[in-house]
Amino acid sequence: MTDSPPSPADVVVIGGGPGGYVAAIRAAQLGLDTVCVEMDATLGGTCVNVGCIPSKALLQSSEHFEFARLHAAEHGVRVSPTLDLAVMMKRKLDVVAANTKGVEFLFRKHKVMWARGRGTLKPGKRVEVTARDGSVTSHAAKHVIVATGSVPSALPFLPFDETRVLSNVGALAIPEVPRHLLVIGGGVIGLELGSVWRRLGARVTVVEFMPTILPGNDEDVIKEATRIFSRQGLELLTGTRVTGATVTAGGVTVTVEKDGATQSLDADYVLVSVGRKPALHGIDAAALGLATGPHGEITVDHQMRTNLDGVYAIGDVTGGKLLAHKAEEEGVVAAEAIAGLKTQMHYASMPSVVYTWPEIASCGLPEHEVKASGRAYRAGRFPFSANGRARTMAETQGFVKFISDATTDEILGCHIVGANASDLLAEVVLAMEYKGSSEDIGITVHSHPTLSEAVKEAALGVLGRPIHI
């Protein structure tokens, strides 16, 4: 351990994931001397290394494989594809490496110092960094941003071994296509990774404790997604509780219960995706006097300030929706608040996406929540089956749905199930951010033929005047 005095810094960010590295870059852009502490061998955190990026790489590759196998002939393209899983996995790693190297380049460009090691927040905004060789350096920060992320939650009787009982990390690197993959949890991670392995030939069973998959989403979205995923071959066991499990060298036997009846499910691998919890790596909240919420999340205000002077927190460690783009925006707000700019977080229009195929994208409120509030509203819905571009693509599943205030026409929510839904949602997020109305989108010219016309038509549907249905 070094006895040298702490190195001064304007901002020290603990964690180099999407929230942390974006916060560091924005702080540096604002002229602040910035250090980012990251204990992993690469920057980017869970998202870039074992989350968003590798999962989307496998989703893309597996979509190509399934298209070639099942749908290319519809376009007059006759092929007989064979799977090379090793090449697919190598491509995934190459994509991850390109992204992590990209973050390193941005750090060099903006003169952000990467302190390689495990960061520990000490009283007085001092951050100790313990390197892999055990050496310790220290940074005296004027401001600290905690961006330590989250970790997957395990079931008490089914701990992760990443061999047979997998978190998202292990599910991205299964060495062969499973005969049977059991997914515990019918949320985003479970459905995305379950879809990858189903497309590649595995039998996939999804067990969800709640009455539906994707709990909390708009009810029309849930119904459509359930229909589509079931037709694709995912076995969906909803309203089903996992009561026990036995792990052997060759697989896992899981006991489940529904309506008082029990059954045993044998699988080669089990993916447990029942949620994530804040990761307070190097943050002893009690000793520091740092305020936390009921689930261990760090509590913050609208500028990401904690109760400790000069200490901010962003991303998954603060709870709420665990989204990389949410963490990024919170990082920007924290950096700008430190720099004295007028800034604050807005969550009402925060988008969410499930990258299955078709994709599922939403922002704002689902219809059942608007109805429960007693607020008068109008809804408009347009099917992709009536969209010319969707027909040319043979991608006619799904719909676009708007919910708007009955008096002001302000958009309260938008929900899309369909091809490229993640991209189509962007114009709605922009409209909502500026308190836009469904009429604003409905009277805006959209190129023809495009999928975006379905967004326009659904917005016109709120007004009772869609053209093509």
Side-chain angles (χ1 to χ4, degrees):
M1 181 174 179
T2 180
D3 293 325
S4 60
S7 301
D10 292 325
V11 179
V12 174
V13 183
I14 305 177
Y21 82 69
V22 168
I25 290 170
R26 184 64 182 127
Q29 287 177 337
L30 292 166
L32 301 171
D33 180 41
T34 306
V35 176
C36 184
V37 183
E38 175 53 58
M39 63 184 180
D40 291 339
T42 55
L43 293 166
T46 294
C47 174
V48 174
N49 289 279
V50 290
C52 319
I53 298 303
S55 66
K56 288 1 165 231
L58 289 182
L59 282 160
Q60 190 69 55
S61 296
S62 62
E63 283 170 19
H64 289 324
F65 179 71
E66 184 164 77
F67 177 81
R69 188 170 61 88
L70 298 180
H71 305 297
E74 300 170 17
H75 297 263
V77 181
R78 299 195 178 278
V79 294
S80 299
T82 56
L83 175 65
D84 190 330
L85 186 61
V87 171
M88 189 178 290
M89 290 295 179
K90 180 183 181 302
R91 176 183 178 274
K92 174 201 69 175
L93 295 175
D94 290 344
V95 170
V96 169
N99 278 269
T100 58
K101 290 175 182 175
V103 179
E104 285 190 53
F105 165 77
L106 292 172
F107 271 23
R108 291 193 298 271
K109 175 183 176 181
H110 294 285
K111 296 180 173 55
V112 174
M113 175 186 173
W114 176 10
R116 301 172 186 248
R118 187 183 188 92
T120 302
L121 179 58
K122 298 292 186 179
K125 292 174 290 188
R126 185 168 59 86
V127 179
E128 287 187 353
V129 182
T130 304
R132 291 176 180 267
D133 63 5
S135 62
V136 178
T137 56
S138 184
H139 298 272
K142 294 179 182 177
H143 307 274
V144 174
I145 301 175
V146 178
T148 47
S150 64
V151 293
S153 299
L155 294 173
F157 52 83
L158 199 57
F160 298 118
D161 60 19
E162 304 299 4
T163 300
R164 293 294 172 182
V165 183
L166 313 174
S167 69
N168 60 291
V169 178
L172 290 166
I174 303 175
E176 76 279 330
V177 177
R179 175 187 57 84
H180 185 197
L181 172 65
L182 183 65
V183 179
I184 302 176
V188 177
I189 295 173
L191 291 171
E192 288 185 354
L193 293 177
S195 292
V196 166
W197 293 106
R198 179 201 60 76
R199 294 168 188 161
L200 300 181
R203 173 192 170 196
V204 178
T205 303
V206 179
V207 178
E208 171 56 53
F209 175 72
M210 299 298 287
T212 69
I213 59 170
L214 298 172
N217 277 266
D218 187 89
E219 292 174 358
D220 286 342
V221 168
I222 292 172
K223 290 176 184 176
E224 183 77 352
T226 299
R227 181 185 68 82
I228 291 172
F229 294 151
S230 297
R231 288 180 61 182
Q232 289 177 347
L234 285 179
E235 301 173 19
L236 305 176
L237 303 181
T238 56
T240 303
R241 183 166 65 96
V242 177
T243 58
T246 302
V247 182
T248 66
V252 186
T253 299
V254 175
T255 305
V256 300
E257 178 184 307
K258 180 174 182 176
D259 299 329
T262 62
Q263 64 172 313
S264 294
L265 302 172
D266 295 320
D268 305 87
Y269 301 91
V270 173
L271 164 59
V272 180
S273 55
V274 294
R276 298 179 68 86
K277 57 187 178 181
L280 295 176
H281 300 308
I283 311 296
D284 188 336
L288 293 166
L290 183 63
T292 57
H295 304 292
E297 73 279 12
I298 298 174
T299 56
V300 294
D301 67 8
H302 62 282
Q303 290 190 318
M304 314 316 298
R305 291 185 175 90
T306 71
N307 65 306
L308 301 181
D309 181 52
V311 178
Y312 297 70
I314 61 172
D316 289 5
V317 77
T318 66
K321 291 185 177 181
L322 308 186
L323 301 167
H325 47 273
K326 167 182 169 287
E328 290 180 355
E329 292 308 311
E330 290 175 342
V332 169
V333 167
E336 292 181 347
I338 289 169
L341 301 183
K342 186 178 180 180
T343 183
Q344 68 178 65
M345 273 302 299
H346 300 277
Y347 295 102
S349 58
M350 185 66 64
S352 298
V353 181
V354 186
Y355 292 91
T356 50
W357 196 259
E359 294 178 339
I360 301 168
S362 64
C363 60
L365 299 172
E367 184 177 1
H368 65 269
E369 288 189 19
V370 178
K371 182 182 293 186
S373 73
R375 186 173 187 172
Y377 71 93
R378 294 178 299 188
R381 176 169 162 168
F382 188 84
F384 280 103
S385 59
N387 175 266
R389 179 63 172 155
R391 289 171 180 157
T392 69
M393 296 168 62
E395 296 290 355
T396 56
Q397 298 182 102
F399 58 83
V400 181
K401 176 180 177 179
F402 278 92
I403 303 106
S404 296
D405 186 276
T407 303
T408 66
D409 195 36
E410 179 186 345
I411 300 169
L412 305 177
C414 180
H415 309 277
I416 306 175
V417 180
N420 300 348
S422 58
D423 298 312
L424 295 174
L425 190 68
E427 70 168 304
V428 184
V429 175
L430 178 63
M432 288 187 66
E433 191 67 19
Y434 288 93
K435 302 295 182 183
S437 66
S438 57
E439 185 179 33
D440 290 332
I441 291 179
I443 65 175
T444 299
V445 178
H446 289 63
S447 300
H448 175 78
T450 61
L451 296 176
S452 69
E453 290 175 287
V455 179
K456 173 187 174 76
E457 292 272 10
L460 289 172
V462 174
L463 307 174
R465 53 186 179 94
I467 300 298
H468 289 95
I469 55 171

